[in-house]
Every structure is written in C-alpha cells, then in structure tokens.
C-alpha cells in the first residue's frame, strides 16, 4: 500500500539573531502548517519558543519535540492536538551543553537523543507514556579538533541518529571530522563502542554534518558541511560500525562561486541530507549554490551516481523534507524566509518547482506528522 502524506507540517525556526543569519527577519517559534493535497501549505498556528531550530514528531503524531539552540541548550516536549495540530507544552529539560541543534526519537518513541553543537556533546532522555521527558538518562562529552582551526577548534556534535534497532546512536562531529558511534543502554545510557568508536571523515577538514540511513539496505550517507561532499557508508548492523565506500562532490563541476540563477555569496556549505522513501535516491542541500543535489542509489552496492541539481527558488536551504508518499519535497530557505514546494519524479528522482511557497521567518527545520 502506498504511503499517505502527513496532514501537518511543523517548522522550527530562529527567533534570535545568530551569526549565520543574514538580515533582521526572524521567526516566532514552532509553526504548525496544513499540508494540502497539491503540496501547498496553510498556516494554522505558532507556538512561541526560543530558537526551536530542530523539531521532530512521534510516529503516531501525538507528540512533538523541539530544541532550543541557545547557551545552556534545552529541549521541549509538546502534546499535539489531533484535530487542529495545535501544541500544548508538556515539559522541558536542559541538554547539558550549549546550542542544542538536532534531536531524534528511537523507533518505538521511548528515547530522545539531542546533539549539542557548541557544547560538543550528546544527551539522551527517556520519554514517558504521556509524551513528557524524564530525567536525562545518558550524556557524553566529546573531545577533539580538526584541520580548520576557525571552525574545528573543538568537538561540534551536529546530529544524533538512532540505528533502526535502537541499539546504536550515531553522532556526526563537525569539529573533529568523525562520526561518533555509541551504544545505547537502558534508560538512554550511552557509551562509545569498544574497538569502533568512530568513522573518520574521508578528507580532513570536510566537517561531517548529517547522516541519513537507507530504509531497507545496510547503507548510510554522510553529508559534509565544509567539504561540499557526501559519502556512501556501509553499515555493520550487528556491531554498529560504519565504513566509507565512496565520496562525491555535491556541487556541479563548473561551479565557481555564484552560478546562473543563484543569488547567494561565493561560499557554499552543505546542510541537510535525506534518502527518498523508496530508497532509490539521495538528496542533499547546498547553501550558497542554493540547490538540492540528486543522486541515484545503487540497490546492490549502495554507491551513488549524480542525477542533477535543482535550484531551491530561495536562499540558504538549511533543511528540507520529503513527504511520506514521496510526492513532494518541502525546502526551508532560511535567508529568504520561505518553505518552497517541489514535485518529485519518482522514476528519475528529479525535482520540479511547483511555485507554491509559504512565508516563515528564518526557517531551520521541517517535519511531518499524520494526525487524526
């Protein structure tokens, strides 16, 4: 049976000025939007919160969790109204490190992991039956540095991703050019895996940012913020180890700063990465080139082949999401303050700009929730 699309979209944004945000326009908190059948979005409500730069919903759509990317980092749990999509705050917890930038639930929704970017650490919380967060069950502080002393002077945990089994947690560390590989214990206890504590980045200074796992095959894909590249990885499901198979650029060969149709500055840095729901294509975002790169995935070897690039119709695509049906992609353009809708060709993987857009101040993340 084909996947049906979520009925609601939640957008996290920046509500205070950060160095990487150009201009003075900011958001108001966590936005609830209605996803219409044609891929358009309708504003429903906004729940005020300080810098909710990343949000995620439980698989049943009953609960939502949002980071606060601030000094002393925090995470907030919400109950979702199953009719209106409105949010009711349940509780909040300190994450133990500055600038919480990413969070993820394990498959059964019993644990929530949070990455602290400036803090260079990761925390894990048990989730109670009512959706609220229990006391922190696990915490690890990372050490290390990378080649680029301006950006990699210390550990910078940029994401926290559970394995399908929930036994392992993977943390791309931009600061020390590693993907940290952790074992998850009872109540969210965390420990580094003996003998396989990390996967080294393929090129020093490339800055691992996000990782996406294939839905059915033992492969993962790590996008590098500073290296403008993506690596295909093999996954050892039993031991939790990762190994680099291939690394490719996310930018067109001819790109030399500002290319035709792009309005950003000459630098470009990768941001988000996702595998299509059917596992056939990989997508990554380029901030500066302002594009989504499309790769096809070899269903045996897990390696990538370039399909093409699509301009996002805005500036600084910090995040994007593919609807559960695979029909649409929503791109959060941070510096042009919009969520833009693209139609996805499931046979070729290519994207078409629908022209549908909705205004949101400094959007940083989109996630989907099927309600009712």
């Amino acid at each position: 049976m084909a996947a049906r699309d979520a009925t609601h979209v939640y957008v996290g944004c920046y509500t205070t000025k950060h160095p990487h945000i150009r201009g003075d326009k900011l958001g108001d908190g966590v936005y609830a939007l209605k996803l219409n059948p044609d891929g358009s979005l309708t504003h429903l409500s906004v729940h005020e919160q300080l810098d909710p730069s990343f949000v995620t919903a439980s698989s049943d759509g009953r609960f939502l969790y949002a980071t606060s990317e601030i000094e002393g980092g925090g995470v907030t749990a919400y109950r979702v109204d199953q009719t209106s999509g409105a949010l009711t705050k349940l509780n909040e917890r300190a994450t133990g490190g500055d600038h919480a930038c990413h969070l993820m639930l394990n498959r059964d929704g019993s644990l929530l992991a949070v990455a602290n970017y400036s803090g260079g650490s990761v925390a894990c919380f048990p989730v109670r039956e009512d959706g609220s967060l229990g006391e922190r069950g696990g915490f690890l502080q990372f050490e290390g540095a990378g080649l680029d002393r301006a950006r990699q002077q210390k550990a910078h945990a940029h994401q926290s991703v559970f394995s399908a089994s929930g036994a392992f947690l993977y943390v791309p560390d931009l600061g020390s050019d590693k993907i940290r590989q952790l074992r998850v214990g009872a109540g969210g206890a965390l420990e580094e895996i003996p003998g396989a504590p990390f996967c080294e980045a393929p090129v020093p200074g490339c800055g691992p940012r996000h990782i996406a796992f294939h839905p059915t095959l033992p492969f993962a894909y790590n996008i590098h913020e500073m290296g403008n590249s993506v690596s295909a990885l093999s996954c050892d499901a039993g031991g939790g180890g990762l190994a680099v198979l291939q690394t490719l650029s996310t930018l067109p060969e001819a790109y030399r700063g500002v290319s035709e149709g792009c309005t950003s500055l000459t630098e470009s840095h990768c941001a988000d990465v996702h595998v299509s729901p059917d596992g056939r294509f990989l997508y990554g975002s380029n901030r500066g080139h302002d594009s989504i790169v499309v790769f096809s995935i070899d269903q045996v070897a897990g390696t990538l082949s370039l399909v093409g690039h699509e301009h996002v119709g805005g500036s600084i695509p910090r995040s994007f999401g593919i609807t559960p049906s695979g029909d649409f992609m929503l791109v959060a353009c941070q510096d042009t303050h919009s969520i833009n809708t693209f139609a996805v060709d499931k046979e070729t993987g290519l994207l078409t700009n629908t022209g549908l857009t909705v205004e949101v101040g400094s959007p940083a993340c989109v996630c989907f929730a099927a309600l009712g």
Side-chain angles (χ1 to χ4, degrees), residues 168-243:
F168 305 108
L169 186 71
Y170 300 93
V171 183
D173 180 352
L174 180 145
S176 57
D177 276 332
K178 296 176 174 66
I179 301 174
R180 308 279 183 171
Q181 302 169 47
L182 314 177
R183 193 182 304 279
V184 182
L190 300 173
E191 64 174 352
E192 292 192 296
I193 302 172
F198 50 78
C199 175
E200 292 277 9
V203 178
C206 67
R209 180 182 171 96
H210 278 193
I211 185 172
F213 282 82
H214 193 282
T216 59
L217 301 175
F219 304 111
Y221 302 92
N222 179 214
I223 201 162
H224 308 117
E225 176 173 331
M226 298 152 62
N228 295 305
S229 59
V230 63
S231 291
L233 311 172
S234 63
C235 309
D236 176 3
L242 302 174

Side-chain angles (χ1 to χ4, degrees), residues 1-363:
M1 185 174 66
R4 71 183 181 92
D5 271 345
T7 58
H8 287 70
V9 177
Y10 291 92
V11 179
C13 65
Y14 286 104
T15 64
T16 60
K17 183 74 175 190
H18 287 246
H20 55 73
I21 297 174
R22 296 200 298 266
D24 295 324
K25 187 171 183 177
L26 296 167
D28 298 310
V30 180
Y31 291 82
L33 310 175
K34 175 71 178 296
L35 176 62
N36 302 308
D38 65 352
S40 62
L41 297 167
T42 303
H43 274 285
L44 295 177
S45 61
V46 60
H47 190 98
E48 291 185 5
Q49 185 189 319
L50 188 62
D51 282 339
S53 65
F54 205 89
V55 294
T56 193
S58 60
S59 60
D60 59 9
R62 295 174 57 214
F63 306 110
L64 188 87
Y65 302 90
T67 61
S68 283
E69 195 170 330
I70 58 174
E71 291 185 8
V75 58
T76 303
Y78 296 97
R79 181 185 300 111
V80 179
D81 186 288
Q82 293 295 284
T83 301
S84 68
L87 303 176
T88 300
K89 182 178 175 179
L90 295 172
N91 71 338
E92 58 186 330
R93 297 287 186 186
T95 61
D98 290 341
H99 300 107
C101 65
H102 183 274
L103 44 71
M104 182 181 183
L105 291 161
N106 64 352
R107 181 163 287 185
D108 67 8
S110 62
L111 295 174
L112 181 80
V114 186
N116 298 309
Y117 178 78
S118 297
S121 58
V122 64
C124 196
F125 299 86
V127 179
R128 298 166 175 159
E129 287 190 11
D130 67 355
S132 64
L133 297 172
E135 296 285 348
R136 191 171 66 205
F139 180 85
L140 281 178
Q141 176 67 56
F142 303 127
E143 303 296 334
L147 182 67
D148 187 329
R149 292 305 179 184
R151 295 289 314 280
Q152 297 180 306
Q153 77 282 13
K154 57 180 289 190
H156 288 308
H158 220 309
Q159 191 191 34
S160 51
V161 181
F162 285 100
S163 64
S165 68
F168 305 108
L169 186 71
Y170 300 93
V171 183
D173 180 352
L174 180 145
S176 57
D177 276 332
K178 296 176 174 66
I179 301 174
R180 308 279 183 171
Q181 302 169 47
L182 314 177
R183 193 182 304 279
V184 182
L190 300 173
E191 64 174 352
E192 292 192 296
I193 302 172
F198 50 78
C199 175
E200 292 277 9
V203 178
C206 67
R209 180 182 171 96
H210 278 193
I211 185 172
F213 282 82
H214 193 282
T216 59
L217 301 175
F219 304 111
Y221 302 92
N222 179 214
I223 201 162
H224 308 117
E225 176 173 331
M226 298 152 62
N228 295 305
S229 59
V230 63
S231 291
L233 311 172
S234 63
C235 309
D236 176 3
L242 302 174
V244 177
L245 298 173
Q246 173 198 36
T247 300
L248 296 175
S249 174
T250 62
L251 294 171
E253 187 174 349
Y255 179 66
R256 294 293 184 272
V258 177
S259 63
E260 184 178 357
C262 295
T263 58
S264 298
L265 300 178
T266 55
E267 285 190 339
S268 193
H269 294 109
C270 291
D272 207 0
V273 63
H274 292 283
V275 179
S276 61
D278 62 9
R280 296 180 58 199
F281 300 99
L282 182 78
Y283 299 90
S285 64
N286 294 306
R287 296 173 295 173
H289 186 254
D290 290 338
S291 65
I292 300 293
V293 61
V294 185
F295 297 99
S296 63
I297 299 174
D298 186 297
Q299 298 298 292
V300 176
T303 51
L304 303 171
S305 298
L306 179 65
V307 174
H309 297 79
E310 178 67 29
H311 190 265
V312 298
S315 179
I316 310 300
R318 187 175 185 86
S319 170
F320 64 94
I322 305 168
T323 59
S325 69
D327 291 333
F328 298 104
M329 178 185 289
L330 306 182
V331 182
C333 296
Q334 174 192 291
D335 282 6
T336 43
H337 313 292
S338 65
I339 309 294
N340 300 337
T341 299
F342 292 79
V344 180
D345 186 319
K346 295 181 184 178
E347 293 304 313
T348 66
L350 292 172
L351 307 173
T352 300
N353 193 336
T354 65
L356 298 170
T357 186
V358 65
E359 183 177 342
V360 175
S362 295

